[in-house]
Every structure is written in structure tokens, then in C-alpha cells.
Amino acid sequence: MLLIACPWCGEREELEFHYGGQAHVGYPANPEGLTDSEWAEYLFVRDNPKGLFAERWSHAAGCRRWFNLIRHTVTHQILAVQSNRPVAAGQPKPVIP
Amino acid sequence: MTAENLPTLHALRRSPIGHLTDVLAEHSAAGRRSVRLREVPFLAQLDLQLHQHGSAAFDRIASALGEPLPTTPNTAVEAGDLRVLWLGPQEWLLIGPDGSAPATADLLRAALGDEPGSLVDVSANRTTLELAGPAARQVLEKGCALDLHPRSFGPGRCAQTLLSKVGVILHQVDAEPTYRLLVRGSFAQYLADWLLDAMVLL
Amino acid sequence: MNRLSDGGRVDRSAPLRFTFDGVQYTGLRGDTLASALLANDVLHTAPSLYRGRPRGIATAGVEEPNALVQIEGPGAEPMRLATTVELYEGLSATSLRGRGRLDPALDEGVYDKMHVHTEVLIVGGGPAGLAAALAAARSGARVVLVDDQPELGGSLLAGREEIDGRPALDWVADVRAELTAQADTRILTRSTATGYYDHNYLLVAEDRTGRPGPVRQTLWHIRARRVVLATGSHERPMVFAGNDLPGVMSAAAVRAYLNRYAVLPGRRCVLLTTNDHAYAVALDLVSAGAQVAALVDTRPRPPAELVDSARRAGIEVIAGSAVVAARGGARVQAVRIAALDAADTISGPVREVACDLLAVSGGWSPAVQLWSQSQGSLRYDEALAAFVPDEAAQNVDSVGASRGVLDLAGCLDDGFAAGARAAALAGFPVAVPPTPPTSGDGRPARPRPVWVVPGESGEPSDWSEHFVDLQRDATVADVQRAIRAGMRSVEHIKRYTTIGTAHDQGKASGVSATGVIARLLGARSPGEVGTTTFRGPYVPLTFALLAGRERGALFDPVRTTAIHPWHVRHGAVFENVGQWKRPRYYPRPGESMEAAVLRECGAAREGVGVMDATTLGKIDVIGPDAGEFLNRVYTNAFAKLAVNSARYGVMCRADGMVFDDGVTLRLAQDHYVMTTTTGNAAGVLDWLEEWLQTEWPELRVRFTSVTEQWATVAVVGPRSREVLTALAPELDVSNDAFPFMTARQILLANGVSARICRISFSGELAFEINVASWYGLATWESVIRAGEHLGITPYGTETMHVLRAEKGYPIVGQDTDGTVTPHDLGMEWVVSRHKDFIGKRSFARADTARTDRRQLVGLLPVDPAVLLPEGAQLVADAEVAVPTKALGHVTSSYRSAALGRTFALALVAGGRERLGETVYAPLADGGMIAATITDTVLYDPKGTRRDG
Ligand SMILES: [Zn+2]
């Protein structure tokens, strides 16, 4: 079981958290302006790297805050915990170290 | 609601585990393995949420309560007969004596002024179980994954976490230790049963 | 009797009677079942599983491949190892061939669980682990030391070493005393670390059988800043013809039986070794009075001082040789010895030596199982001929024999250094204690592993009595067959031969198997082959331990409403809705469910019914932007809803599929209260927080879950107004004064403050009364009293489902499954065209515009008495052979009192274009039900009843 450091509450067991999938997938600013395949990309297509992955979690059983962290998908090492703001469309995503 | 009909009204109230008062008392043990469990029903509880840190409302609330709202995560402060628990950034639970919710709510609303915020009376949402005694920590450790060692958790600390599979607000009141467990009414019977079962195993 | 007259860790003043395979014996406190059996000259275990060959006790620990037993009597347990079962008075066991038997009786034992946080966790209470614990504990850090044996000491319990000029076990006692005196140090004996998971999370199974208190076993959940693995090593068997004969035993086990249990397992012994270890064992055997017929060392030139010491004790040392075969019937009677050349082939005459015990040391395999579970890597060490820990993946160190350090002084050095380092890294710096002087084995000389001792004739494919895995009866011939079949990877060969898959998971034989594979593949070293993956648990665990106290009534949280005691008193039959207990129906004495539900439905349609609706999720949505927020999460609009008015809303995920629904009431300009489905309250709150925090943080709105703040009593039926009048005389309940989908805040006659809404999930005139939950029971009872003269009838979820289905109201999660849009439900009216909301873009996707999407329709079975099973698949053609592609499936199906017949709801491809068509439900029993597709609203389609 992972030990996840909530940016507010500190280290808690994985059981207290709700997984939110890949981070930095912002809701498109103008969904109506997207083609079906662009919209489908937003809905369904996510990265699945072997290695470092920026992902979202919510401290559901605690302070209910959403936040991002970078986890190694093989070792489960957690390298960094980040703020929860999405990246606006067109802006570069944060670089994974 | 007027003062005259309060006794009549109170006679109509049922706390979620009011029927267990005697059972809880019977299971409380003395001695080195001492642990006591009781319900503290009907405490006034208000959930307060603000929108930004260091707002004018925050300062006005501090003046009104005589104590600033705690901003250190997982800590509680006492303000008169109120206990104020940090629940999240910009969210607090104010706990007061039975019946004090309307007055406290008026105080907070006045302090909030026209700033956006949320104040909800949640007095009936949760009941309070008090677990106390030298073996209380050991009882909790049968189902709570928090580090409750005095170096990590002590009087004045609080946390929203899981006990067994039940969400609780855990608040350590003193060093004996005495813990208060705020649990949603629907889970209270299960949690009391779980605690009683754990206490038997000491 | 094989019991020695003195020595050992057994208590000769505490005899214990026990039964094995129906025969009574006596052992001593401190024995294992295996040592007690050997003391009684019982060597044999059950014969082997597949080939029925005689087998005997082969080890003295968790790596035992043969000695499976069934513990009989109350709390019977299958598949325990005689070598790890502590003897107790009255123990009854039978030998087990393969699978055991679960006791069908309820296990009355208590299985507990504990969470522990520690700075330093040390696994293993041998010399290295004790040294680590001592060093770490002196720092003031929290230390947990776990060991699987009843007493600390590890390998020292079986040896004769000295530390600091005294018997090593005196030093162990001193360490234990110092550790016990530390407030924050915890010693868990009889406790096996079975799993090493992410972020230094370990599970430790503690056996408390025979200890004070009702708890039989405790599962410790330990989260450690640093872990020190001092798990020791397992002695490897060797692979030669007849190596499975009873009387072939690990040399370490022979030494443990001699020195720890004071049992002499044989009278005339031969030792076979690849390394130094057997020499000490040989000397111990001689001093215990046994005859040592020969010591066979694979090395051509063993260390001279060892050879001299053996010869001085009268032992013949045969160097550069191996036992090429063990001979015997039920037990080893002789061994055949021959010289091996550098290529491991027989290079001289074979000589036979009589014996009744063959002690084998094939070298040491560090117990790297937990290290591997922690994702640490391994490397093959040629000098040690062993796989040892390489790179750590977590905050862990491996010390002592578990990383290949085999001498006592080295283990102490290693432990002291690692304990101090662990404490320091956890924030508690401390000096490394000095290592006391030791006696005993020095640093061992290089071993000469012989992975396959050749047979006296034939090829590897003929060597079907060279056993690699005794429990699986797998031999060199089997490995050769796997290789001939094309397997090269150790993982494939493991699965083909089943080597390493038995209860022992190849603890002792795993590396031997790798060596055999390497040899047969012609690899240069076992390092090229590698090991199989080590997975938890390290030793078998009982399911009861994993379940802990969360079984029976405590299995899962049970949620009840404030009104629950009334439901119980009035004979409700409950159903589980998520974790909630909800009344399903209230049968009268002798009444069937079907009759009760028809009666309850009739009351709600013709008179007045009452239902506990408390379990719906409730969330206060507060702030100046609350309306705007709701506009974005619901498909329909809420921003302009009037204060004290309510509206039904549907929430979709971004893919446009229905996620939740419910009625939201506006209490003030900036205050709404949302209801959610019973099972989805927490999920909806998560959903709202997600969008607010991660997409729209600029919106000034906050959420508070108030599900348990309120008790909700639904009063339903044409006569509900009369009940409300009695309950709240000050409330004008006329339709004009209190219209549908509005709310009023009022004091009830009993003084309780209530929020009353006109909401209907049945199509009938209905009111929902919300009071603070601590008044819930009293309010329910007032409603019952107020409606008594009207025959007010409590009803449960089954009736609620029938009533809503008659009106065509879907239940999210029953009539939907995450693939259904509001349009599929026929609810275009709930989808706004004017505003954006979560999921809106998806309704313009080609997939959601398909005309053959499954749509919600009503079904009327052609035979009005026949009930369609929920979940039944539907086809268009009665003659079609199944399996075939289904048109859809039945989502809800009931008997209707109002319709006087059965009916159902179903999702059917292009269903709304098929009204009037007949579809067929082929049943598992070969039957077929025909039904006509209809509109979903089967009762009061004009909606005339909701205003009374
Ligand atoms: Zn948190």
C-alpha cells in the first residue's frame, strides 16, 4: 500500500485517497470547437508510461483536496507533490524530471 | 423554537447510539489496561468554509471567537467553550455544547459579513464517541493506520481518517490519552460495535 | 529414544503428550512437532504426493519440503509444517500427503490486527538482527524486532559459539533485556514477516497460540522509515540419485536437532558438503555419541585445519568426492561415494558406506525473499555460489547471512553498523557499538557447488530419482524434458515442471533448481539463469488472519437511519443498498413478499403510504456562484431556479453517460441542497470537488455533505395531504399554496423544525419531511399516528421501485450502467441546449447519435402473469438459435397492483422506434418469454395524480 503525502495533511495510507488519473489533462476551453477525434482524445486517451508519471489524487477521506504527484509506475516511488492547477490548453505541461 | 418547549423537544431526540449507554459503560475497564468508551451526544457542530486565506472575515472571526481559526493542518484550538478543528485548507468544524449552534452561527455569520463562505449546521450529522484511558491508543491501533505515537499525535491534534472502514474525525483531547471520534450517525452503531469488540481483546 | 541426556533448549521438566497419526507420544516444552517426533524415532512423513515414495523430515524450519501435517481438533488447520509447529500439551496431528482439509466448523479463534509505525524495523532475531536492534534502540528511535521463533537467537540456538567469552545465548539474553527496557522498542517473537510492500509497508503474522488472551493470531501492519533484513539463510539440498530418501537431511537441521532440541536423528552418519559447514556438524555429532562414517567434501583441497580437526575426532574425510547415490528402502541404509573431476563427472571407483543418516550441506542460499519482494535486485556471487542482494529499491539494508556474511563476527559487525545507520537515517543518530570478541567458525573458505551429481549411468533425461523439488516430485529428468521442449527461462521451466510452486515455494530448493537448469543448459553460472520471482506471503497464511475481526457482524460497515429501530420493531425485511440497510418490505404475519408489495403499492396509490427516504445523499452547495456551478454539472439549468423551489437534475460524465440524478432544492439565493442516489453520495461529492478545485477554482461555492444531518420521511398517496395537515396544522397544503416541486420551512405540531418538499418518485401526491436526524424517529412515529385512521402503510424499497417503474422513472445504476445517455432514457427534456455542461460535447459525437443505441422502453409480457427475470437478454426472433446478438436486456421487472399485471423496463436497441413490436427473452431453462415493447410510462401518463 502506497504512503502518499497529502500536501495538507501529510503522509496517509493510499486507502484514504481517490485516484484521478493522468494530471495536466485540462478540460478543453471550447469543446464545441473540437473535432470528434480531438474530443475523443480528451475523453479516452491517456499516457501509460513505464516510469515517471504525473497523476492526480484526491484526499477523499481527509481534507478532500485534489493534488498532483509524480510517481514511478514501476517502483511506486513518489518524487514530487505538486499543486492541483490544470495546465491551460496550448501551454507546455510541467517537465517530469 | 422557544426556551419553554426545549425540554419537550429534547425528549423527542434520539442520538444514534443512545440505546448503548449502559453497554458502553459495562465494557469500560479499569486498571493498567484501562479504557473507557462513552457517547457525548448532541454536541453543536458547525462546518465553516472560507474562500481565501487571510481574508478580512478570517480576522473578524478571530475577534469574534477570541482565537484565530487554526491554520496548521490537523490541529484544533479551544476558544471559550468551543473547540475549533482544522478539516482542510479554509474548512473548520466548530464544536460547542448542546444547543449552542444557533448562537455560534449568528456570531460567525455576522463576522463573515458579505464575504462568500459557507456555514452549515451539522450538529445532527455526526455523533461523538469518547475513548479514554491508558489502553485507548492500543484500541485505535487495531483499525487506524495513523501514527498515534506522542511524537506524532498528541493533545490538540485532529485528523480526518479511517477507523476500521469508517470515516472519522479523530481528535485527541488530552494526554491520558482521551480521544474523541466524530462519526456520521449512520455508521455510529457499527463503529461502537467495532470498538467494543476491540476493547474486549486488550 | 533419540533424546540426549543433557543440553538443548528443551525443558526436561515439562513433558508434553501429543498424538501423531493416532499414536501417543511424549515430547518436551521447547520442541517442535518434528523434533519431538525425531526424539521418538519417528522420521517418516506422508509418502510423496505423485510417486508415493517414502519421505522423512528433511529440515528443521520453514524450508521443510516434506513434513506437512494436519492439526486436528478444535481450530483444525491444514498444511502446517511439523518443523514449525511448536509442541503443546494435547496436540494432535496427522501426516498429510498433498492437500489438507479445512475444518468445516466455525473457527472460534480471534484474529486481530494492529497498525504500527516505527523508525526501524528489524526482521530476524539472529546475531545480525539482534546487533542491529541493539544499536538502533540505543538511539531512542522506535524499534520493532520480529522473529519467527519462540526465542531470540536465530542460528545461535543451534550452535555452540561464544560471544564475549560466554555462551552466545547469554549474550542474546543480555541484548533481549536491554531491548525490553527501552520504552519504544517492541519485540515480536513467533512472528513471521510475510510480505514486503510499497513504501516500507510490511505484514507480520504473529502466532499467539497458547499465550494469554483470546487472540490466536495477530496480523501486524508495520510502516517503517528504515528496514533491516536479517533473515538469515537456508541450507541448500544437493541433487543426486535417491536424495529424497528418509534419513537424508540438511546438515543445519541435524545441528539444530542436536544442539537446540537435544535429539540425535541418526546413529551412523555420513556428511556430504560443498563448504565448511559440515565439519562443525560432524564434530557435534561425534560429541553427541554418534558414529560419523565419513565426511564427503566436493572440494579437492578442503581447508587443512578443518580436515585435521575432523581426523582428530576419528572422522574419515573424503575430499574431491560426492555421494552419487543414497540407497535404502524405507530409510537410507548406505551411500555410494565417488570422486568427481573438475567437470563434475565421476572419475574413480564407487565405494559404498553404510549409514542411517546423510547430512547434506549444498551451500547457503541467503533468504532474499523479502528483499526481492521489496523490489531490490539480486546478483549471483561466484565466490559464495549464491544469489545475494544487490541494489535496494526501498529504505532497506540486508545484513548478515541474508547477504552472504556467514561468520559470527561478520554478522555482528554488519548488524551493529546497519542498526546505527538505520536509526541515523530515520533521524536518530547514534554511535556504532563495538563488536565483542567471538569464537566459532571463522570466515569460510570458498565452496565448490555441484549442481547435479551425475548418476552412475545414463543421461540427465534418465535421472528420474535425482529430486529437485521433493514436494512436487520433480527431478532432473523433468527439467531435462522441459529444456527439450524448448524452455530456456527459469520462469517457464518452473511452470512446466511445477518446481518451486508447492507450499515451500522452493525456499531450500529454488537455487538448486537454478543450478540444475544452468548445468543442463550448459550455462557458465547460475547467475546467467537467475531466480524466479519471489512473491508474498513468505509463509502460508490463514484466510482467517487476513479477515481479522472484520467478519460476521463486523464484516463491513452497516449504515442505518435514525428510523431503523422502528423498522426492526415492525418486522421489516431489509436489503443492502451499498452499506445501508433499507427496509425492502414489511410483511404481515404469513404474508409473502409478493403479497406485501402489492398491498404496499395499493396503499400508496389509493390511500397513503410512508417510506424512510433518509439514505439519499445530501450535499449543501453554498456560495454566490452555486447556481452557475450547478448549471455546469447538471445537464439542465439551476441558476434561475426560484428560492424554495426544487428541480430534478441529471449529471453526466464528460463522455455524456448518466452518472447520477436527484432533486436539488434552492433554499436561498446562494444556497442549494442537492440530493444524490443512495449509493453514490461520496462519489458525487468527489466529483463536485474535482471540477471545482481542478477546473473552476474561480467559482465561489463550497460543498458540505449533510447526508446524516437530515432524516427524510416520504408521505405518499392521494390522502397524504390529510396526514400533513394533522402533522403541521400551520401549513397550508393546498395545491395553490404549496405547489409541486416547492418547499416550506415550518414547525411541526410537536415543535420540531422541518423542511417539507413536494416531491414525488411515485407519480402520486407526495411530501418529503426533512428533520434533524435526531428527531427522525419521533417524526416518523408522528406521521404514523397522524395517518393511523387512514390506514397509513409503511413501504420499502421494493414498492418504491414498482411505483417509480410504473411511471417510467429510471434508477441510475439499475436501469443505467455507464453506457446510457439521458437521450437513451428518453429524457431529452432534461438536456439544456443553451448552456455548456459536463458531457454536452459528447452528445454531438457520432456514437451518441446512433439510432440503434439501446433505449429505455417499457415491456409488457404477452402473458400478464409471467414475470421477466431482471437481466434477461432480449432477441427479436423467437426461432433464432442462441447464442445470438441480443437486442437488449431487462433492467427492472415487477408485478403491478395498479396495472393488474407484470411489466418491465428494458434497454432495447432502437427501442423507441419499436413500440408495439414483440421481443423474446430466451431463458436459461430453455423457456422463452414474449413481451410487447411499450412506452416507459405505464401508469397515469397524463400526470394527473401528483397534485392529489
Ligand atoms: Zn489531506
Side-chain angles (χ1 to χ4, degrees):
Chain A
M1 184 165 10
L2 304 185
L3 186 66
I4 297 172
C6 167
W8 299 99
C9 305
E11 290 180 339
R12 300 290 184 94
E13 300 288 318
E14 183 182 347
L15 278 177
E16 294 193 5
F17 296 85
H18 175 107
Y19 185 59
Q22 183 174 354
H24 312 306
V25 182
Y27 188 74
N30 180 17
E32 305 302 324
L34 300 184
T35 64
D36 268 12
S37 67
E38 286 167 338
W39 180 247
E41 176 90 9
Y42 162 71
L43 285 181
F44 304 124
V45 181
R46 296 293 183 271
D47 297 337
N48 185 21
K50 180 179 181 179
L52 297 177
F53 189 47
E55 59 192 16
R56 308 185 311 155
W57 291 81
S58 155
H59 190 189
C63 66
R64 305 206 310 278
R65 294 308 103 183
W66 282 84
F67 57 93
N68 297 339
L69 55 79
I70 292 174
R71 180 176 62 96
H72 194 288
T73 58
V74 178
T75 65
H76 297 306
Q77 268 195 323
I78 294 171
L79 280 90
V81 178
Q82 310 170 319
S83 86
N84 65 3
R85 297 301 302 275
V87 176
Q91 285 188 302
K93 294 176 181 178
V95 177
I96 289 175
Chain B
M1 200 185 302
T2 63
E4 299 86 77
N5 62 19
L6 254 182
T8 332
L9 259 183
H10 282 185
L12 297 177
R13 292 195 305 193
R14 295 284 178 279
S15 78
I17 51 169
H19 57 288
L20 293 181
T21 307
D22 295 343
V23 180
L24 301 188
E26 283 161 22
H27 279 74
S28 297
R32 194 175 62 86
R33 287 268 172 238
S34 156
V35 59
R36 308 179 302 280
L37 180 63
R38 67 179 182 117
E39 186 192 16
V40 189
F42 307 124
L43 292 179
Q45 297 167 59
L46 293 164
D47 184 285
L48 171 68
Q49 298 187 65
L50 299 179
H51 281 256
Q52 89 196 62
H53 215 52
S55 67
F58 183 89
D59 296 336
R60 288 196 297 270
I61 291 168
S63 315
L65 296 177
E67 196 70 50
L69 297 163
T71 54
T72 304
N74 298 309
T75 62
V77 299
E78 294 193 20
D81 57 4
L82 291 178
R83 285 177 169 150
V84 188
L85 277 56
W86 183 97
L87 295 186
Q90 320 300 326
E91 183 174 11
W92 296 268
L93 186 70
L94 295 95
I95 305 171
D98 184 5
S100 66
T104 308
D106 288 346
L107 194 76
L108 290 168
R109 278 218 175 79
L112 202 51
D114 51 11
E115 270 192 43
S118 158
L119 183 68
V120 182
D121 184 344
V122 288
S123 303
N125 203 40
R126 293 187 180 91
T127 191
T128 304
L129 282 158
E130 189 176 271
L131 185 72
R137 183 177 139 203
Q138 193 184 343
V139 170
L140 292 182
E141 284 173 342
K142 291 178 188 294
C144 178
L146 282 188
D147 185 355
L148 299 176
H149 188 276
R151 278 204 291 263
S152 304
F153 202 90
R157 295 294 303 269
C158 64
Q160 295 185 85
T161 187
L162 297 170
L163 178 58
S164 170
K165 298 173 187 169
V166 178
V168 294
I169 300 171
L170 175 66
H171 176 203
Q172 185 170 342
V173 177
D174 64 32
E176 188 189 7
T178 300
Y179 300 98
R180 285 196 166 184
L181 298 160
L182 285 79
V183 59
R184 287 170 175 270
S186 68
F187 288 102
Q189 169 91 48
Y190 176 86
L191 191 69
D193 289 344
W194 186 93
L195 285 165
L196 290 171
D197 189 66
M199 286 160 63
V200 169
L201 298 182
L202 289 175
Chain C
M1 284 293 290
N2 295 328
R3 184 79 69 186
L4 301 172
S5 55
D6 58 22
R9 306 291 296 169
V10 287
D11 182 353
R12 289 177 178 75
S13 69
L16 301 171
R17 278 163 304 173
F18 69 101
T19 306
F20 182 70
D21 281 342
V23 182
Q24 283 232 351
Y25 302 98
T26 304
L28 299 176
R29 186 168 306 287
D31 263 328
T32 61
L33 175 57
S35 69
L37 287 170
L38 289 170
N40 285 279
D41 210 17
V42 178
L43 172 66
H44 283 85
T45 64
S48 77
L49 180 55
Y50 302 104
R51 292 172 58 177
R53 292 173 65 93
R55 291 284 162 81
I57 295 164
T59 74
V62 291
E63 69 274 34
E64 170 62 30
N66 291 333
L68 281 174
V69 296
Q70 169 99 16
I71 307 294
E72 309 286 359
E77 273 190 83
M79 299 193 75
R80 293 288 308 272
L81 294 172
T83 52
T84 62
V85 171
E86 241 183 289
L87 196 67
Y88 56 87
E89 176 66 24
L91 171 69
S92 175
T94 48
S95 59
L96 204 57
R97 188 174 172 188
R99 198 163 53 188
R101 302 172 306 279
L102 278 174
D103 184 354
L106 185 70
D107 186 346
E108 302 286 353
V110 175
Y111 297 83
D112 202 7
K113 176 162 124 179
M114 283 294 281
H115 291 274
V116 174
H117 292 257
T118 185
E119 275 78 42
V120 181
L121 168 65
I122 292 139
V123 181
L130 288 168
L134 193 64
R138 285 176 179 171
S139 73
R142 286 178 288 178
V143 173
V144 177
L145 170 65
V146 306
D147 186 80
D148 65 347
Q149 295 297 306
E151 57 178 329
L152 296 176
S155 62
L156 299 174
L157 294 167
R160 296 178 168 198
E161 292 87 348
E162 291 192 341
I163 297 176
D164 228 355
R166 293 178 301 151
L169 292 178
D170 290 358
W171 177 81
V172 172
D174 288 351
V175 173
R176 181 173 187 127
E178 183 173 341
L179 293 176
T180 307
Q182 299 278 350
D184 275 330
T185 293
R186 193 192 296 260
I187 300 172
L188 296 174
T189 53
R190 296 182 175 87
S191 300
T192 307
T194 68
Y196 194 140
Y197 305 99
D198 297 311
H199 300 172
N200 271 4
Y201 190 67
L202 287 92
L203 290 185
V204 172
E206 180 192 19
D207 186 357
R208 299 184 57 87
T209 312
R211 315 276 291 282
V215 177
R216 174 179 286 178
Q217 293 178 26
T218 299
L219 190 62
W220 295 79
H221 294 243
I222 302 181
R223 187 74 80 172
R225 291 284 151 204
R226 296 290 310 182
V227 173
V228 177
L229 293 177
T231 48
S233 59
H234 299 300
E235 196 173 42
R236 281 197 294 269
M238 288 182 70
V239 178
F240 54 88
N243 63 343
D244 67 327
L245 268 179
V248 178
M249 199 179 276
S250 111
V254 170
R255 196 169 197 216
Y257 288 125
L258 280 178
N259 293 335
R260 179 170 175 190
Y261 301 106
V263 173
L264 188 57
R267 305 286 161 167
R268 183 178 159 83
C269 313
V270 172
L271 296 106
L272 168 62
T273 192
T274 63
N275 63 85
D276 293 357
H277 178 238
Y279 290 83
V281 183
L283 295 177
D284 287 354
L285 278 165
V286 168
S287 60
Q291 186 188 351
V292 175
L295 194 166
V296 184
D297 195 324
T298 56
R299 296 173 294 184
R301 274 174 299 281
E305 70 280 10
L306 292 180
V307 175
D308 291 346
S309 68
R311 291 201 173 130
R312 276 198 300 276
I315 299 167
E316 180 187 0
V317 176
I318 307 174
S321 298
V323 169
V324 297
R327 294 245 182 275
R331 177 171 185 154
V332 62
Q333 289 164 346
V335 294
R336 294 170 62 77
I337 300 165
L340 297 183
D341 65 15
D344 291 357
T345 52
I346 297 174
S347 61
V350 177
R351 165 184 164 198
E352 196 156 306
V353 175
C355 65
D356 63 357
L357 180 72
L358 173 62
V360 179
S361 179
W364 295 98
S365 292
V368 294
Q369 284 85 357
L370 290 175
W371 174 273
S372 287
Q373 283 188 40
S374 79
Q375 300 206 45
S377 64
L378 300 176
R379 67 179 171 82
Y380 186 74
D381 186 311
E382 296 286 351
L384 288 165
F387 288 94
V388 295
D390 192 13
E391 302 249 339
Q394 301 200 32
N395 295 325
V396 57
D397 291 303
S398 171
V399 296
S402 71
R403 71 175 190 99
V405 175
L406 295 175
D407 64 307
L408 177 54
C411 284
L412 293 176
D413 274 347
D414 223 20
F416 283 129
R421 170 181 141 84
L425 287 171
F428 292 81
V430 67
V432 180
T435 303
T438 58
S439 76
D441 303 340
R443 295 196 59 180
R446 195 174 167 120
R448 179 201 174 184
V450 176
W451 299 109
V452 180
V453 179
E456 290 179 56
S457 63
E459 296 294 310
S461 55
D462 305 319
W463 297 342
S464 59
E465 294 188 357
H466 283 60
F467 285 86
V468 181
D469 184 323
L470 272 63
Q471 181 62 212
R472 290 295 187 220
D473 266 346
T475 64
V476 169
D478 295 320
V479 175
Q480 182 67 12
R481 194 171 310 120
I483 288 169
R484 289 226 174 120
M487 318 281 157
R488 292 295 178 269
S489 144
V490 64
E491 297 284 2
H492 293 159
I493 293 170
K494 165 184 172 175
R495 282 156 183 79
Y496 192 86
T497 60
T498 74
I499 285 172
T501 62
H503 66 275
D504 57 338
Q505 293 282 293
K507 285 186 188 70
S509 64
V511 177
S512 305
T514 289
V516 169
I517 294 165
R519 173 92 190 152
L520 297 185
L521 283 173
R524 275 186 317 241
S525 121
E528 290 180 21
V529 172
T531 64
T532 55
T533 308
F534 299 105
R535 296 190 176 87
Y538 174 65
V539 295
L541 298 178
T542 62
F543 281 107
L545 176 60
L546 298 177
R549 295 189 296 114
E550 280 155 1
R551 59 179 186 165
L554 297 180
F555 171 64
D556 199 45
V558 172
R559 300 178 73 180
T560 55
T561 73
I563 307 163
H564 188 76
W566 192 95
H567 305 321
V568 173
R569 278 202 304 278
H570 291 80
V573 173
F574 291 92
E575 76 165 331
N576 296 329
V577 181
Q579 291 169 322
W580 289 96
K581 289 274 178 224
R582 296 195 72 180
R584 191 170 186 203
Y585 59 100
Y586 299 81
R588 290 177 172 167
E591 193 180 35
S592 69
M593 170 168 159
E594 191 181 318
V597 171
L598 289 172
R599 172 177 55 75
E600 291 173 12
C601 286
R605 291 269 184 243
E606 307 299 332
V608 60
V610 58
M611 189 187 73
D612 181 356
T614 301
T615 61
L616 288 181
K618 303 167 204 75
I619 300 169
D620 272 17
V621 180
I622 297 180
D625 296 323
E628 171 61 23
F629 180 85
L630 294 175
N631 264 9
R632 296 187 193 183
V633 296
Y634 277 122
T635 59
N636 50 337
F638 282 82
K640 291 178 183 154
L641 182 67
V643 169
N644 282 327
S645 286
R647 182 167 291 162
Y648 170 79
V650 169
M651 267 181 220
C652 291
R653 293 204 181 266
D655 64 3
M657 303 304 151
V658 173
F659 163 58
D660 203 73
D661 72 342
V663 169
T664 291
L665 168 66
R666 190 171 207 169
L667 292 177
Q669 193 59 32
D670 63 351
H671 187 176
Y672 295 77
V673 54
M674 166 190 289
T675 58
T676 75
T677 54
T678 293
N680 207 16
V684 170
L685 182 59
D686 273 357
W687 181 246
L688 303 184
E689 292 285 10
E690 176 178 352
W691 285 89
L692 176 65
Q693 292 177 39
T694 71
E695 293 291 347
W696 310 317
E698 69 283 0
L699 292 185
R700 296 162 300 163
V701 60
R702 292 293 180 263
F703 317 112
T704 307
S705 168
V706 290
T707 299
E708 278 91 337
Q709 171 69 23
W710 302 100
T712 306
V713 180
V715 185
V716 177
R719 307 198 70 173
S720 55
R721 215 166 246 142
E722 295 165 60
V723 177
L724 263 288
T725 303
L727 205 63
E730 292 169 24
L731 182 65
D732 182 348
V733 292
S734 70
N735 197 48
D736 290 341
F738 190 178
F740 185 58
M741 291 302 254
T742 61
R744 299 290 177 264
Q745 189 71 41
I746 191 131
L747 280 187
L748 303 179
N750 61 12
V752 173
S753 173
R755 177 197 300 152
I756 302 178
C757 309
R758 268 199 60 199
I759 294 170
S760 178
F761 196 42
S762 58
E764 300 298 330
L765 175 69
F767 299 84
E768 277 188 10
I769 306 165
N770 293 280
V771 294
S773 57
W774 52 45
Y775 294 116
L777 183 58
T779 302
W780 174 274
E781 286 169 339
S782 307
V783 168
I784 297 284
R785 275 195 300 278
E788 208 155 25
H789 65 291
L790 303 169
I792 192 165
T793 302
Y795 70 84
T797 51
E798 193 65 21
T799 290
M800 183 259 283
H801 283 186
V802 177
L803 298 175
R804 63 88 202 180
E806 289 170 346
K807 288 292 293 176
Y809 299 148
I811 289 185
V812 173
Q814 171 156 347
D815 301 299
T816 72
D817 59 4
T819 68
V820 178
T821 67
H823 308 81
D824 297 337
L825 294 173
M827 302 200 322
E828 290 81 357
W829 54 268
V830 88
V831 180
S832 166
R833 289 201 189 77
H834 305 295
K835 64 178 183 87
D836 193 16
F837 55 84
I838 299 167
K840 183 176 192 183
R841 173 65 183 78
S842 290
F843 297 140
R845 293 178 65 226
D847 181 64
T848 49
R850 279 187 294 118
T851 54
D852 64 344
R853 291 185 62 82
R854 289 189 174 186
Q855 296 169 329
L856 190 71
V857 294
L859 285 183
L860 292 173
V862 172
D863 178 345
V866 169
L867 188 70
L868 281 159
E870 289 179 354
Q873 299 293 312
L874 299 168
V875 296
D877 180 356
E879 303 301 319
V880 74
V882 286
T884 180
K885 188 170 159 54
L887 269 186
H889 64 276
V890 176
T891 58
S892 299
S893 177
Y894 310 100
R895 294 178 197 281
S896 166
L899 306 175
R901 55 160 303 134
T902 58
F903 73 106
L905 296 174
L907 287 167
V908 174
R912 284 205 295 279
E913 295 297 312
R914 294 175 181 267
L915 299 187
E917 290 182 18
T918 303
V919 289
Y920 302 89
L923 304 181
D925 64 5
M928 177 84 77
I929 298 174
T932 309
I933 297 180
T934 71
D935 191 77
T936 51
V937 186
L938 294 167
Y939 180 78
D940 185 28
K942 294 205 166 61
T944 56
R945 302 187 58 86
R946 65 156 215 227
D947 294 332

